[in-house]
Amino acid sequence: MSVYEPSSTIFLRPEEFCQDEQSRLGRANGNTYRRKPGIPDVHDGQIMVRLKKKRFIILDYGYTPNEHDAEIARSVPHISIPNGAGTCKCATKHCPRIGVPVLMYDSEPNEPMSLYLRGGLCFSCQRNLNEKRRTQRKRKSDGHPVGEVRIGNGDMPSIGSGSGNGNRFKFNDQIVELNPDAVVINGPVDGTRIRGPDYRCPEIGSDLLRIVSELSHETLSLMQHSSAQAGMVQPVATTTSSVDPMYQKAFESVSKATFLLTQWKASWDENMASQTAVNAAEAAAAASANFDSRILDEAVASQTTLGGGANMAILQHNIPPQIDMGFSGHAQQGAVSSLVHAHVALDGGVPIQPLMMPDETDSNGHHIGGGLEQRVEI
């Protein structure tokens, strides 16, 4: 029996799953292939799922992302880390498994986010819920597709149990009680898309302004039409049949605008966070450069200071034994003076003569007089 082994990184190379997608997953919508086994009552492992239009995704319920993974996800559109990925428990009551997976790969990242990522359920519970909905759609032709706006209770299932359960819903490990008049937008509305590398604030803002403009015209038409109908004596069914489509169209525009507004804000926040990180890095680099420059200046100043009294002390400490032992005080001072001058000459690049001892002859044949009282000269 195979054992789940966590991936070392969130980044999967195509050659790692290409064979699985071509030979093991299959082409039918809804097909699945478990690439890594799950751990009972912990998580469902790593699973490949076939979606519509040949799209496929790889979900990992056992992987816990880190900061480095988050940076990769921000730069690679095929990878996504939803809030709570790898840590948030399944929203189904009494289910201990992980409910939010990491999206290791999405073959079509520009498509709306899969329900497996935003449903808050573990893979097993989500599959069960999908099957129930599929059965309900067969029995009920007016079922609501995922992403459509629902008003009030309607027949919207409880997040906690997957079936109608009053107004109590579980979201991010918290029980939420909705007002009977609550309006729920469950994911991207038809006709909108989620933010991505090629769909940021400017593009989202342009679509948002267009939809708001359409909403204004649709709402005005609805108000004018309803006012005209209210003043006329005609069957109620006729009035309802003409107003309802206009209302539904306007409400869909409101839903689109609301969803796009949240995407615009999320994109804005991400951009600000990225800019803040860049500014912090630049500030740190500038501070480091200033620190290095200040240290260098202090070192130069310290060396300049040491060039005076410290060098004299060093020279005095290193007086040759014959000078220290054989000269009188006056002669010894002269010898020290000669050594200092020699050191200074070396520092300044001026040629110097070697230090001569009494009764010696220099390179030019000049004799240096002897005696303990004789001053040493260069």
Side-chain angles (χ1 to χ4, degrees), residues 77-293:
H78 297 277
I79 300 174
S80 179
I81 303 177
N83 292 334
T87 58
C88 187
K89 299 297 182 182
C90 178
T92 300
K93 190 175 182 180
H94 303 311
C95 180
R97 291 186 291 267
I98 295 296
V100 182
V102 173
L103 178 61
M104 307 292 279
Y105 186 82
D106 187 342
S107 63
E108 300 293 338
N110 293 328
E111 292 294 322
M113 182 180 290
S114 169
L115 188 60
Y116 289 101
L117 295 165
R118 54 187 171 83
L121 303 177
C122 69
F123 184 79
S124 302
C125 292
Q126 187 64 60
R127 293 288 285 188
N128 292 336
L129 179 58
N130 291 348
E131 186 60 32
K132 289 180 180 179
R133 287 175 173 173
R134 190 176 296 109
T135 302
Q136 290 174 356
R137 281 196 293 268
K138 291 179 180 179
R139 297 176 181 175
K140 189 176 180 180
S141 60
D142 59 346
H144 298 285
V146 174
E148 184 171 332
V149 178
R150 299 163 183 174
I151 308 171
N153 291 340
D155 60 352
M156 184 173 70
S158 167
I159 296 177
S161 64
S163 59
N165 188 25
N167 298 329
R168 294 175 61 83
F169 296 85
K170 189 173 183 180
F171 181 74
N172 288 343
D173 288 335
Q174 294 184 353
I175 300 298
V176 179
E177 292 200 15
L178 298 181
N179 188 285
D181 297 324
V183 177
V184 179
I185 301 178
N186 186 21
V189 182
D190 291 342
T192 63
R193 53 183 292 197
I194 60 175
R195 66 191 185 281
D198 59 341
Y199 193 59
R200 296 292 187 184
C201 284
E203 296 80 12
I204 297 174
S206 178
D207 289 346
L208 179 58
L209 291 175
R210 173 181 56 79
I211 292 175
V212 169
S213 178
E214 294 173 356
L215 171 62
S216 177
H217 291 293
E218 292 164 358
T219 305
L220 179 61
S221 298
L222 175 61
M223 296 300 103
Q224 292 176 341
H225 182 76
S226 62
S227 297
Q229 294 287 349
M232 299 175 62
V233 179
Q234 56 184 324
V236 176
T238 302
T239 303
T240 302
S241 62
S242 61
V243 170
D244 281 357
M246 299 181 68
Y247 165 78
Q248 187 63 30
K249 188 176 182 180
F251 196 86
E252 287 178 356
S253 295
V254 171
S255 305
K256 292 178 181 179
T258 302
F259 177 76
L260 285 180
L261 185 60
T262 63
Q263 292 298 296
W264 182 91
K265 182 58 167 60
S267 179
W268 173 269
D269 291 341
E270 291 171 353
N271 184 52
M272 289 297 100
S274 176
Q275 189 61 46
T276 300
V278 171
N279 293 341
E282 292 177 351
S288 177
N290 292 337
F291 177 77
D292 293 343
S293 177

Side-chain angles (χ1 to χ4, degrees), residues 333-344:
Q333 291 177 2
V336 172
S337 176
S338 298
L339 287 172
V340 173
H341 287 196
H343 177 73
V344 173

